[in-house]
Amino acid sequence: KKIVPNVRFVPKEIFPWKGDVTLFAGSKISMVTFDERGISGIIIESQTIYEIMKMTFELAWKSADKS
């Protein structure tokens, strides 16, 4: 069975993203930056911050270009 991911795009000229945010099941969030200085990151365990980040993702997902 072939899995095809559902992908959305945002213009890198407007949103020059240099990192990664991952929401884990439950209430954990990891934030990692990749820039000229190297890699740094943090893990946050907070149900409130998890829900804020999830809502932010949903807003961005619904607003992003499907093509």
Side-chain angles (χ1 to χ4, degrees), residues 14-26:
I14 298 172
F15 302 100
W17 194 259
K18 293 184 180 180
D20 180 64
V21 176
T22 304
L23 279 68
F24 296 94

Side-chain angles (χ1 to χ4, degrees), residues 19-22 24 29-33 40-44 49 53:
D20 180 64
V21 176
T22 304
F24 296 94
I29 305 107
S30 72
M31 296 179 159
V32 181
T33 62
S40 61
I42 187 169
I43 295 176
I44 302 169
I49 295 173
M53 294 304 297

Side-chain angles (χ1 to χ4, degrees), residues 1-66:
K1 182 178 177 181
K2 186 176 181 180
I3 298 173
V4 179
N6 193 351
V7 178
R8 306 279 170 105
F9 298 94
V10 294
K12 66 180 178 181
E13 299 80 23
I14 298 172
F15 302 100
W17 194 259
K18 293 184 180 180
D20 180 64
V21 176
T22 304
L23 279 68
F24 296 94
S27 61
K28 288 185 182 178
I29 305 107
S30 72
M31 296 179 159
V32 181
T33 62
F34 314 103
D35 60 21
E36 314 68 53
R37 297 175 294 171
I39 299 172
S40 61
I42 187 169
I43 295 176
I44 302 169
E45 189 167 0
S46 165
Q47 189 64 41
T48 302
I49 295 173
Y50 176 88
E51 290 170 9
I52 290 168
M53 294 304 297
K54 187 173 179 181
M55 286 186 279
T56 303
F57 172 82
E58 291 296 331
L59 176 63
W61 183 260
K62 289 178 182 180
S63 301
D65 188 2
K66 294 180 184 180

